[in-house]
Amino acid sequence: VLGGAAMGQVDPGDLAAFDAMRPDPGQYRTDTELVSFEAPGMPANMRGMISQAMASGFQRENTYCLTPEDTGQDWLEEMSNSDCTLDEFSANGNSFSTAMSCDMEGQSATIAMSGTASGNSSDVTMAMDFAIPDMGRITMTMRMQSQRIGDCG
């Protein structure tokens, strides 16, 4: 178990490669894009409103400071919570992919992430699939690009 997430069989080499992708301390900017949002069981007007609200929320600039203490935390621990099981994990060079199964307040969800990361940047695509009672399955994909823009200040 890592940070509350069941790890399953993870190759130590994959963990070492993933660990090498830790971000350097500094000021970062993250741009998030809603790539897709599908909810066939949701009324079209509600689906449109939610999709637009999410897309416009992602358009806000997001900057943050990572201290040396922040970058020392385990990435996998941060990416997973106590209600998720890490089903798949691989890392090679600066690329990685993960798949998790989660329990979100009694509803099952799957989260898959893949991307690249280095000390100064990352480009990650995250796909989520979950159900909302009386609405059915919802799938959405987001892309998050982070870039170190300088020292914290």
Side-chain angles (χ1 to χ4, degrees), residues 119-142:
N120 291 312
S121 65
S122 65
D123 187 347
V124 178
T125 299
M126 179 173 65
M128 297 173 50
D129 182 331
F130 57 96
I132 294 180
D134 302 322
M135 298 279 180
R137 302 295 312 165
I138 294 176
T139 59
M140 69 176 153
T141 302
M142 298 175 285

Side-chain angles (χ1 to χ4, degrees), residues 31-89:
D31 297 312
T32 304
E33 169 191 8
L34 180 64
V35 176
S36 68
F37 178 83
E38 298 180 27
M42 186 180 288
N45 63 336
M46 183 182 292
R47 185 173 54 243
M49 287 186 333
I50 292 173
S51 181
Q52 287 178 344
M54 290 176 69
S56 67
F58 290 152
Q59 290 176 354
R60 292 189 199 107
E61 184 175 289
N62 180 19
T63 59
Y64 53 95
C65 175
L66 286 179
T67 67
E69 293 78 24
D70 295 329
T71 63
Q73 295 177 1
D74 192 305
W75 276 38
L76 288 178
E77 182 177 333
E78 291 298 308
M79 288 181 0
S80 58
N81 64 45
S82 61
D83 294 329
C84 291
T85 300
L86 187 62
D87 300 319
E88 296 176 27
F89 175 80

